[in-house]
Amino acid sequence: MEELRQSIEQLKTPKPGSKGEVEALRLSEEKSSKAFRSSPDWIVISTLDNGRFIDVNDAFLRITGYRSEEVIGRTAIELGIWVDTDERDKMAATIREHGKIRDHEATFRMKSGELRTMLRSAEAIDLEGERCIISVTHDITERKQAEEKLRVFADNLKKKNAELEQFAYIVSHDLQAPLITIGGFLRLLERRYRDKLDSKAGEFIASSIEGTVQMQSLIRNLLDYARVDTRSMDFEQIDATAILNQALANLNALLDESGAVVHYDNLPEVTANPVLLTQVFQNLVGNAIKFRGDKPPCINVSAEKKGREWFFSVSDNGIGIPQEQTESIFEVFQRSHDKNKYQGSGIGLAICKKIIEHHGGRIWVESGPGKGSTFFFTIRVSSLG
Ligand code: ADP
């Protein structure tokens, strides 16, 4: 832009000089003229006071659809190119005051009537004593449309997710009542008719009761998952050490019974929802104890700052997870170990994932059978910390 401006000024006010200077001027003029003509952005020279076109490049003519003779000597306001004429006045005022304007977004009307969004940078120049503006205008219509499409898509996705969560909540909530009834009547049957039925019937009833208990537990967990209130934006500046301590206090009995040792470094302050983050630590440390190996559980919690994120890790010396299941375990009801040996419903990690993603982070695990597991999650570094 600066080169172009200087060359135009030289062009309009050539100074007499040596042969070399004349040649240098000719080359400079040729360079700027080429840049002006072949630029993919539209470049316009117009007067500062009323915006009368002095020169326009090919990109301007191609994008707007005008012919050169239709625009030279006329103004963008007369031609209706400026959709908002106040905007033009504001731009001219800024240039008058500061000499230039950078990346100013505005909407322009093409000859066909089509509106296009453009990013304009402009500078004041003197042309033979007249104050003019040289402006370079970049067409961002397609980019804007793509951004808008993405925004609508993300909004719809958010809405669909909320609907799905609501659906999961209603279904699991409403399923509970009939299940309680079935369980209740099965127990009644078992108690009142035990003597009248044969042993096989007794076994069938016992298995049915066990089935209802399991189903109740699954529904309760599904409800827990649906209840994680990711609509809440109650984030605050919290000390992750205090949050971990709360989670450990909640796991007190399990820690005592297993003889687990938990080490942790100085954890940072983060912007997060304290209840939700406690739940994440509780689930991860709880799993590290549950899926322990032969030795007493040894758990390490730490955090490392990488760029704009904190990388938290919770590692254990437990039984580990087969490589091929390290992704699926974050989905609802996905488990990688024997259901009869390890109690649970496969919801805990799905809840952690939901919470961490709600905080704008990611969660994953590095593990292998017999190698222990390290769960990582990220939280953005807050503007305060
Ligand atoms: P749950 O613990 O109720 O089964 P989770 O969603 O918390 O549900 O975990 C899903 C599965 O991931 C577990 O069933 C287990 O197979 C595996 N897993 C989670 N944490 C660990 C861990 N620390 N060590 C080994 N396996 C784990």
Side-chain angles (χ1 to χ4, degrees):
M1 173 78 126
E2 181 57 18
E3 194 187 333
L4 192 63
R5 193 187 66 79
Q6 279 173 6
S7 305
I8 287 167
E9 280 187 74
Q10 280 173 359
L11 182 73
K12 300 283 170 179
T13 54
K15 286 191 193 86
S18 68
K19 228 177 165 190
E21 275 174 327
V22 170
E23 177 60 7
L25 189 63
R26 194 191 64 73
L27 278 175
S28 162
E29 176 194 329
E30 196 178 305
K31 250 185 2 197
S32 58
S33 165
K34 265 194 190 144
F36 182 79
R37 295 287 152 216
S38 62
S39 163
D41 291 333
W42 94 29
I43 306 178
V44 162
I45 301 171
S46 54
T47 55
L48 181 58
D49 61 348
N50 60 2
R52 190 168 37 80
F53 289 118
I54 295 175
D55 202 358
V56 296
N57 73 344
D58 293 348
F60 173 88
L61 300 174
R62 181 173 40 78
I63 298 169
T64 59
Y66 286 103
R67 278 175 291 118
S68 178
E69 55 274 24
E70 290 177 300
V71 291
I72 301 299
R74 301 190 63 195
T75 72
I77 291 179
E78 274 169 23
L79 291 164
I81 294 176
W82 273 101
V83 172
D84 183 347
T85 51
D86 287 349
E87 281 254 31
R88 200 268 158 195
D89 293 343
K90 263 191 245 160
M91 184 193 75
T94 310
I95 294 176
R96 248 180 232 114
E97 194 181 342
H98 302 288
K100 62 183 173 195
I101 193 161
R102 287 282 174 266
D103 294 334
H104 174 261
E105 193 179 311
T107 306
F108 294 105
R109 189 181 292 106
M110 308 300 108
K111 190 179 175 185
S112 64
E114 182 198 4
L115 299 179
R116 300 197 73 84
T117 312
M118 320 286 281
L119 216 51
R120 160 168 290 200
S121 291
E123 237 172 71
I125 53 168
D126 274 324
L127 285 187
E128 292 164 348
E130 182 165 19
R131 290 290 278 163
C132 290
I133 301 174
I134 175 162
S135 58
V136 178
T137 307
H138 182 62
D139 192 345
I140 54 165
T141 312
E142 271 76 28
R143 194 186 86 195
K144 279 285 200 194
Q145 282 167 351
E147 277 172 9
E148 178 59 13
K149 254 194 201 156
L150 209 65
R151 198 191 55 74
V152 171
F153 181 73
D155 277 358
N156 282 342
L157 206 66
K158 229 171 157 183
K159 239 186 258 162
K160 285 268 168 294
N161 246 340
E163 278 169 20
L164 212 64
E165 272 178 22
Q166 184 67 5
F167 175 75
Y169 179 79
I170 292 169
V171 167
S172 39
H173 187 265
D174 289 2
L175 275 178
Q176 266 184 330
L179 202 59
I180 290 169
T181 312
I182 294 169
F185 276 107
L186 281 172
R187 280 192 188 87
L188 212 60
L189 207 62
E190 189 186 41
R191 249 187 288 131
R192 289 222 192 138
Y193 297 91
R194 191 179 294 150
D195 304 338
K196 301 190 179 67
L197 297 167
D198 63 14
S199 63
K200 265 280 170 251
E203 264 177 49
F204 293 161
I205 293 173
S207 299
S208 306
I209 290 174
E210 202 181 305
T212 57
V213 170
Q214 261 176 27
M215 206 155 162
Q216 266 176 324
S217 150
L218 286 178
I219 288 175
R220 233 190 341 265
N221 284 299
L222 197 60
L223 262 175
D224 286 345
Y225 178 75
R227 270 194 197 125
V228 175
D229 189 6
T230 47
R231 281 158 304 169
S232 148
M233 295 303 273
D234 281 347
F235 293 173
E236 48 189 88
Q237 190 73 3
I238 48 173
D239 175 10
T241 308
I243 297 294
L244 175 64
N245 279 324
Q246 180 58 54
L248 296 180
N250 298 347
L251 291 167
N252 204 10
L254 196 59
L255 285 162
D256 275 357
E257 169 256 308
S258 64
V261 185
V262 183
H263 298 286
Y264 52 91
D265 301 338
N266 266 345
L267 302 178
E269 286 218 333
V270 287
T271 306
N273 179 299
V275 177
L276 297 181
L277 195 61
T278 308
Q279 207 169 345
V280 170
F281 277 130
Q282 198 170 317
N283 285 352
L284 295 182
V285 175
N287 276 349
I289 299 172
K290 179 161 53 165
F291 298 103
R292 61 181 173 264
D294 299 331
K295 293 187 211 120
C298 178
I299 302 157
N300 274 292
V301 183
S302 64
E304 194 186 339
K305 194 174 177 182
K306 289 188 190 169
R308 300 290 307 143
E309 286 177 318
W310 282 106
F311 279 57
F312 283 86
S313 65
V314 178
S315 63
D316 63 51
N317 58 343
I319 55 175
I321 302 158
Q323 191 60 43
E324 64 280 7
Q325 283 163 11
T326 50
E327 282 188 21
S328 62
I329 52 166
F330 290 97
E331 286 161 27
V332 174
F333 295 145
Q334 294 297 320
R335 313 190 68 211
S336 103
H337 299 104
D338 185 357
K339 279 188 199 128
N340 300 318
K341 204 164 162 199
Y342 300 98
Q343 284 198 340
S345 60
I347 287 272
L349 289 179
I351 289 181
C352 291
K353 183 166 186 261
K354 197 172 166 187
I355 293 173
I356 294 301
E357 286 178 354
H358 179 53
H359 285 75
R362 292 158 283 136
I363 184 167
W364 69 98
V365 64
E366 285 173 10
S367 185
K371 289 188 188 157
S373 309
T374 303
F375 284 83
F376 294 94
F377 64 88
T378 62
I379 301 259
R380 269 195 303 261
V381 173
S382 63
S383 49
L384 304 166

